[in-house]
Amino acid sequence: MSASVVSGRWSGGLVLSLLVVLLVAPSPAPAKSFDFLQIVSSLADNVITRLYREDEIELLGHYCTISRTPYFYKWELNFRATSRCPDWTTALGKAEGYVNPHNAETEATKDLVRKLVERGLVTQEEASPWL
């Protein structure tokens, strides 16, 4: 017998053995389909909760709210924020044109505190920590 016949039989037996193993082995569980819509929805929810914000704060001993919203200006993401104390005054603090959302919120709160001082609802000394 020549070496090529032995190696041919050997490789044929190997292929046959692999074929039998594949046929007898249990099939894997069906793969879960890729849900692109769920990924986009999850991503959108994450982005929305990070960009938009409504929160409650205590300002000078009173219940107040602060909110921010994003907008685009000249292809750049900016933020505007408002701050108000509905149970105390009708004054409204506003800020817009900030790239940093935290800065927009801080400036809206400062604007509200300045208006409270102007209206005589708080003294300059009481307001100084917020300014």
Side-chain angles (χ1 to χ4, degrees), residues 12-128:
L14 182 61
V15 169
L16 182 62
S17 298
L18 285 175
L19 186 60
V20 168
V21 167
L22 289 174
L23 290 174
V24 174
S27 62
K32 199 172 187 181
S33 64
F34 183 73
D35 191 358
F36 183 72
L37 200 57
Q38 183 180 7
I39 291 172
V40 169
S41 175
S42 176
L43 182 63
D45 286 345
N46 192 2
V47 167
I48 288 170
T49 57
R50 290 178 184 264
L51 294 179
Y52 291 90
R53 179 177 176 212
E54 288 191 25
D55 204 2
E56 300 172 353
I57 61 171
E58 184 179 328
L59 180 66
L60 300 165
H62 295 275
Y63 162 81
C64 300
T65 62
I66 190 161
S67 63
R68 76 165 181 239
T69 56
Y71 67 97
F72 283 97
Y73 179 73
K74 293 186 178 180
W75 297 98
E76 185 175 54
L77 183 64
N78 283 269
F79 292 90
R80 67 175 54 101
T82 58
S83 141
R84 65 183 64 162
C85 302
D87 296 337
W88 183 25
T89 180
T90 58
L92 179 66
K94 296 180 182 180
E96 71 175 50
Y98 290 88
V99 177
N100 184 324
H102 179 71
N103 290 348
E105 293 174 7
T106 301
E107 289 304 315
T109 304
K110 286 181 181 180
D111 185 49
L112 176 62
V113 171
R114 283 191 288 271
K115 289 177 181 177
L116 295 174
V117 171
E118 289 172 7
R119 293 183 179 191
L121 295 171
V122 294
T123 64
Q124 183 70 38
E125 292 78 32
E126 291 172 321
S128 63

